[in-house]
Amino acid sequence: MQYKSQAVAKPYFIAAIGLFIGQILFGLILGLQYVVGDFMFPEIPFNVARMVHTNLLIVWLLFGFMGSAYYLVPEEAERELHSPGLAILMFWIFLVAGALTVLGYLLVPYSGLAQMTGNHLLPTMGREFLEQPTITKVGIVIVALAFLYNVGMTVLKGRKTVVSLVLLIGLLGLALLFLFAFYNPDNLAKDKYYWWWVVHLWVEGVWELILGAILAFVLIKTTGVDREVIEKWLYVIIAMALITGIVGTGHHFYWIGAPEYWQWWGSIFSALEPLPFFMMTVFAFNMVNRRRRNHPNKAAVLWALGTAVMAFLGAGVWGFMHTLSPVNYYTHGSQITAAHGHMAFYGAYVMIVLTMISYAMPILRGRQAANSNLSQVVEMWSFWLMTVSMVFITLFLTGAGILQVYMQRYSTDPLPFMVVQEKIALFYWMREVAGLVFLIGLITYVASFFVGGRQPEPKATAMPEPAAG
Amino acid sequence: MSQAFTKAMARNIFYGGSAFFILLFLALTFQTHKAWPERDNRQNITASVSAGKVLWEENNCIGCHTLLGEGAYFAPELGNAFQRLGGKDGIKAFIMSRPKDGIPGRRSMPQFNFTEAELDAIADFLEYVSGIDTANWPPNIQG
């Protein structure tokens, strides 16, 4: 570790992995409820389990982003973090607030939680992904501000690199756009329109900047390719992300009361949204091919390449599949959407956080650059188990979605929702089995932190020279 | 990437492109605001509809249902529930009829024990939603 204060990243990463486990357990409950409708009813109804599943995902990714920033920024700025104490304080505030919120979901009926937390004073609850009590949302803003101050001061006082600048723009956008979570008009068309300013402009906007910056950092460190080259790529990728993604928000405005010209704007620009993800794939493989050395942390390089491929498949390919408005007319709000959501979140955001953890954690735990071979082999097993099972989760949901769309919306004799759900139950069962394999992969991942701790780390080797070009 | 294409050029594309498309997006949003009064059924947002929206939110209905196609995919679309269930009375009757302990082996909506006024508010809210111009979505009555 080059700077002592980078150590604050460690609790963030540990919390992220802990919450990830919770997220997956609730995902398995949800998957079972799809086929055994009364499972855990009425104690944990579907909506509660889903809220826990999605909110844990968001919170653990935020822990992962913050941990990544705390690790990466001192090294880029070439100085200690502005205030390690503030970072630790915010860690505990965020963790306790997150835990209390999830306990609130599980222990109190949601309407009771709304009463307890005074939702009537500023009603923001009960909208997808923004279910948190208003007080929790205020807490998120405070944590985000303190975090931005801490990271921003570090960058301002130190060396300013493209990587830290892009990361900072992404995080600033994340915090600013979250403020739209507090806007909840009675007019549903407006409510939905601005709700997407949080949701879409996060995951198909500023989060891509965070993703790009972290990926660039890990590639600089593991390949030894000239920073100038990597930073040029980073600029081009994030330029494409925002050029396509901002107006691409229109692909959510087709059927929610907004004017119909959005079908053109949304279709054309979101059809281009796969481009930055495709470039990211080309970028990652190019940089690894041009590497100056073989970094001893092979697992981290695997995660980095995996992120680039899976983000392209999940966000790019599975997103394009249903983004054109004539197609979306039939697929909107079906299991096709669920399929895309799963692979896109896993491929882009879960995997980039795991890439950063894979790169940083051995160093945070006192190693030179990498875990032992044994530990890395176990970690790479977990990579394949989770990634392949996520591909199958996506494929089974896609199968379910195609049948659902056909029977419920496309055929000449459309069937009711629940009738269709029963007819496609086989696919839900298969998805649950794939989910169990994912859990095995996650357990394997956690195990990789506890094996081979005493064994030596592999050595870095130089690449034979004329690889330049 | 070729040497002729410099980092400064890439940076300028990022800042210039982002700024341009943010402005375009804001202009389209401005236009959307002007188009909404014709489409968003705002003239029918009564006090009861507003109260219904609060109930919709404070019971996390979106955690199972979709509304105009957004939400969870566990239970039927409700943007057209007003038409599908046969108006306000149909909606109220369905919500009231839910068994407290669910239905063995099957999905079932919880029993929320709403008052008559609350049931009216939720039905009014769903009636208002059904009047939003959604460009003919969903494709048919099944949602």
Side-chain angles (χ1 to χ4, degrees):
Chain A
M1 205 160 41
Q2 294 181 26
Y3 298 93
K4 245 191 5 251
S5 55
Q6 286 176 290
V8 299
K10 196 174 172 184
Y12 281 86
F13 290 152
I14 293 171
I17 295 169
L19 297 173
F20 183 21
I21 297 168
Q23 186 216 340
I24 299 312
L25 292 177
F26 276 88
L28 287 167
I29 293 174
L30 293 168
L32 201 51
Q33 287 176 332
Y34 254 94
V35 276
V36 184
D38 64 340
F39 181 62
M40 296 189 113
F41 190 90
E43 287 75 26
I44 303 183
F46 182 88
N47 68 324
V48 171
R50 184 182 194 261
M51 201 159 48
V52 175
H53 179 65
T54 58
N55 284 217
L56 281 178
L57 169 68
I58 297 166
V59 171
W60 88 254
L61 290 178
L62 291 178
F63 268 113
F65 290 164
M66 289 194 275
S68 302
Y70 285 133
Y71 185 87
L72 170 166
V73 164
E75 219 164 287
E76 289 290 296
E78 295 184 333
R79 68 184 309 279
E80 294 289 353
L81 194 64
H82 179 67
S83 169
L86 183 63
I88 292 297
L89 178 69
M90 286 304 132
F91 169 79
W92 286 109
I93 290 178
F94 197 38
L95 189 65
V96 170
L100 284 177
T101 302
V102 170
L103 284 177
Y105 291 160
L106 289 171
L107 301 179
V108 188
Y110 191 70
S111 58
L113 188 64
Q115 300 285 318
M116 280 165 56
T117 57
N119 188 52
H120 63 282
L121 298 172
L122 177 60
T124 67
M125 292 174 71
R127 293 173 304 152
E128 194 185 6
F129 310 130
L130 302 181
E131 295 93 346
Q132 313 81 30
T134 303
I135 181 89
T136 305
K137 290 195 181 83
V138 173
I140 291 173
V141 171
I142 293 170
V143 170
L145 285 177
F147 163 74
L148 276 172
Y149 163 77
N150 208 351
V151 171
M153 287 303 281
T154 313
V155 172
L156 278 178
K157 287 199 222 158
R159 181 178 70 145
K160 291 154 197 72
T161 66
V162 176
V163 170
S164 57
L165 203 67
V166 170
L167 183 71
L168 210 55
I169 297 172
L171 293 166
L172 191 68
L174 185 156
L176 286 177
L177 290 164
F178 185 69
L179 296 179
F180 285 97
F182 293 94
Y183 178 64
N184 181 18
D186 288 344
N187 186 332
L188 189 75
K190 278 190 189 177
D191 171 8
K192 283 177 171 291
Y193 188 90
Y194 286 103
W195 176 83
W196 282 113
W197 285 40
V198 186
V199 177
H200 172 97
L201 290 175
W202 266 21
V203 299
E204 295 171 64
V206 291
W207 283 28
E208 287 183 45
L209 272 58
I210 299 168
L211 161 60
I214 298 174
L215 187 62
F217 175 80
V218 173
L219 288 174
I220 289 173
K221 296 291 166 182
T222 54
T223 65
V225 171
D226 186 15
R227 176 184 284 275
E228 285 294 305
V229 177
I230 288 186
E231 291 182 339
K232 185 160 70 179
W233 271 97
L234 177 59
Y235 267 135
V236 175
I237 288 167
I238 60 167
M240 287 312 295
L242 293 191
I243 287 170
T244 61
I246 292 172
V247 179
T249 317
H251 68 174
H252 301 293
F253 297 159
Y254 301 158
W255 327 114
I256 61 169
E260 281 157 48
Y261 56 72
W262 279 113
Q263 293 186 28
W264 286 97
W265 289 106
S267 295
I268 291 167
F269 278 86
S270 66
L272 299 172
E273 280 186 47
L275 276 178
F277 287 105
F278 181 69
M279 292 175 71
M280 215 178 279
T281 313
V282 176
F283 163 60
F285 277 86
N286 238 312
M287 294 308 109
V288 171
N289 281 338
R290 290 163 65 174
R291 67 192 181 277
R292 301 280 178 79
R293 57 171 178 268
N294 287 315
H295 196 275
N297 192 342
K298 290 197 178 63
V301 177
L302 179 65
W303 280 111
L305 293 175
T307 303
V309 173
M310 294 303 292
F312 172 64
L313 283 179
V317 177
W318 253 259
F320 178 77
M321 188 167 75
H322 58 143
T323 200
L324 300 174
S325 67
V327 175
N328 192 259
Y329 183 67
Y330 293 103
T331 59
H332 180 53
S334 68
Q335 294 298 324
I336 299 283
T337 321
H340 161 60
H342 278 80
M343 190 143 75
F345 260 98
Y346 175 75
Y349 300 118
V350 169
M351 288 182 84
I352 193 60
V353 170
L354 298 187
T355 300
M356 189 65 185
I357 292 177
S358 180
Y359 172 75
M361 209 53 159
I363 304 168
L364 287 167
R365 295 174 84 197
R367 282 178 171 268
Q368 200 63 36
N371 284 325
S372 64
N373 271 329
L374 175 63
S375 169
Q376 286 195 47
V377 167
V378 175
E379 188 183 343
M380 289 194 263
W381 266 95
S382 80
F383 169 94
W384 289 111
L385 282 168
M386 287 195 279
T387 303
V388 172
S389 60
M390 183 52 81
V391 168
F392 278 99
I393 288 173
T394 306
L395 289 174
F396 289 132
L397 287 178
T398 305
I402 292 170
L403 287 173
Q404 179 191 15
V405 165
Y406 184 78
M407 288 192 272
Q408 191 183 315
R409 293 183 178 160
Y410 205 87
S411 77
T412 45
D413 191 18
L415 297 173
F417 178 91
M418 280 312 301
V419 173
V420 173
Q421 291 298 304
E422 282 177 28
K423 285 181 184 287
I424 58 182
L426 172 66
F427 288 83
Y428 293 140
W429 276 114
M430 299 304 285
R431 181 267 301 267
E432 184 72 351
V433 172
L436 280 170
V437 177
F438 191 96
L439 177 67
I440 294 169
L442 180 57
I443 293 168
T444 311
Y445 177 70
V446 173
S448 74
F449 290 91
F450 298 99
V451 297
R454 291 198 189 136
Q455 296 170 24
E457 51 192 283
K459 291 276 172 282
T461 52
M463 289 293 283
E465 248 321 299
Chain B
M1 261 181 276
S2 85
Q3 301 295 317
F5 183 72
T6 64
K7 192 168 97 179
M9 290 158 81
R11 185 194 60 208
N12 294 343
I13 293 174
F14 169 63
Y15 284 114
S18 304
F20 177 81
F21 284 98
I22 287 170
L23 290 176
L24 176 62
F25 187 61
L26 291 177
L28 288 167
T29 297
F30 181 72
Q31 171 62 35
T32 299
H33 271 267
K34 296 184 97 169
W36 264 328
E38 301 293 310
R39 307 180 58 88
D40 63 12
N41 200 19
R42 62 181 62 188
Q43 65 280 7
N44 287 319
I45 303 178
T46 60
S48 179
V49 168
S50 299
K53 184 167 185 278
V54 171
L55 283 167
W56 165 269
E57 287 166 357
E58 294 196 346
N59 290 283
N60 194 31
C61 306
I62 204 83
C64 292
H65 294 278
T66 50
L67 188 64
L68 306 188
E70 294 167 0
Y73 320 114
F74 190 70
E77 160 68 24
L78 295 184
N80 63 351
F82 183 77
Q83 286 85 353
R84 191 172 58 245
L85 294 177
K88 270 186 76 170
D89 290 337
I91 292 172
K92 288 164 66 177
F94 185 86
I95 298 174
M96 281 190 291
S97 71
R98 297 294 87 197
K100 183 168 66 66
D101 294 316
I103 304 168
R106 293 177 54 85
R107 302 179 201 176
S108 176
M109 192 163 93
Q111 174 52 258
F112 290 100
N113 299 312
F114 289 128
T115 64
E116 186 64 23
E118 288 173 331
L119 287 167
D120 271 321
I122 289 174
D124 285 340
F125 171 66
L126 291 177
E127 181 178 4
Y128 146 71
V129 174
S130 74
I132 295 174
D133 183 347
T134 56
N136 291 321
W137 194 90
N140 65 61
I141 193 70
Q142 303 299 354

